[in-house]
Structure formats: structure tokens, C-alpha cells
Amino acid sequence: MTQVKQDPDRYRANVGLALFSKAGHVFIGRRINGRGSFQWQMPQGGVDKGEDPAEAALRELEEEVGVPAKLVDTLQETEDWLYYDFPPDLKKRLPGPYLGQRQKWFAFRFKGSDSDVRLDRHTPEFDAWRWAQLEETPSLVVPFKRAVYAEVAVRFERWTAPVLGGKVPQG
């Protein structure tokens, strides 16, 4: 992972979403049409021109997971952007000038039930999902995203504690 890049405009603005269950587990989805191993990941998506990252995060949450904003509490947003480079074979297949992505990550607490997760509300990006331990996510994602996931696991570790009733503390 690269913390600072000389030209952030060469990295596509993106949001990453860590959706935590009341039990402290995080949502991961299996990518549709993925190739090879490591097809599980947390939801993520691009920030549209003129869109605030927090707005993009809630939009992507509903598009990719089918969970509306009313079913989550926002826990945390990373202050800085986390970067990753596309591997050369992927970069060749992608249009545009981007070397990789820069991501703002958001932690949300899910207030709904498993039946509220709907992968088919928009063009599906996942064909399956499950709850996972946050610390295991770097080993499930494609290798070029692992350093970002390891950093997210450190920064959002505090949200892995189970929540039993009451209001979720903000942070």
C-alpha cells in the first residue's frame, strides 16, 4: 500500500465499506465472474464527480448490498486516502489513465437482519455473501488489495466488539 502518491489524480477516487454486524463481524461478498482465488471482498465503489465520499459510501452500500442508510449507523471514516496500484495485467484491460485507486473507508454498524441484505437491488457485483472476522479479510481479497485491507483491519479493529442493545458509540 502506498500512503502518499505524487499525483493523486492518477488514482480513481473510491470508497470502501466495512459493514459490521451487531456481533462484530464484517460483511464480505464473493465477486461475480471472479477468476482464481481470493474473490471475497468488502463492498467498494467509485465516487461520482461532485459527490461527497460519505454520500458515495451510502449509495454504494445500497447498490451493492441492498442495505439503505436507515439500516446503518456511521461509525468512522478514514481521515486520509488509502492507495493501491492495479497490477499490470489488470491495468491493460482497464480504460482510462488511472494507476490504481485511492479509497476513503467507512465503518458502518448494521441495524437490520440478514434478510435485509439484497445483492440483486442493482446490477449484482456479488453472487454470495457472509459475515467474517475483520482480521481474516486481508487473506481473502486479491493480493494487490491486501495492504489496504490490513490497514483497514487495524484502523477499524475497535468496531469488532459485539454490541448488545443500546446506542452504538460514534468514533
Side-chain angles (χ1 to χ4, degrees), residues 85-94 99:
D85 291 330
F86 296 132
D89 61 320
L90 177 58
K91 174 70 179 111
K92 286 182 207 173
R93 297 191 312 258
L94 296 174
L99 301 175

Side-chain angles (χ1 to χ4, degrees), residues 19 27 43 60-67 116-119:
L19 180 65
F27 173 100
E60 287 291 338
L61 183 64
E62 188 155 7
E63 287 179 4
E64 292 193 12
V65 182
V67 172
D116 292 316
V117 174
R118 295 284 311 275
L119 302 180

Side-chain angles (χ1 to χ4, degrees), residues 16-82:
L17 317 172
L19 180 65
F20 289 94
S21 70
K22 294 173 192 121
H25 299 116
V26 70
F27 173 100
I28 57 171
R30 187 175 63 199
R31 304 260 326 146
I32 286 181
N33 299 324
R35 295 178 231 177
S37 302
F38 313 115
Q39 293 307 312
W40 293 91
Q41 69 174 50
M42 289 183 269
Q44 67 177 58
V47 177
D48 295 336
K49 187 173 182 150
E51 187 177 35
D52 177 75
E55 293 169 359
L58 291 171
R59 176 183 51 77
E60 287 291 338
L61 183 64
E62 188 155 7
E63 287 179 4
E64 292 193 12
V65 182
V67 172
K70 68 182 181 180
L71 291 181
V72 298
D73 286 324
T74 301
L75 302 172
Q76 185 178 343
E77 172 184 348
T78 57
E79 291 183 22
D80 56 337
W81 295 85
L82 304 179

Side-chain angles (χ1 to χ4, degrees), residues 129-148:
W129 72 276
R130 67 181 177 94
W131 296 111
Q133 299 288 331
L134 180 62
E135 65 269 11
E136 79 176 295
T137 61
S139 68
L140 301 172
V141 72
V142 291
F144 66 92
K145 295 181 183 180
R146 282 190 186 148
V148 167

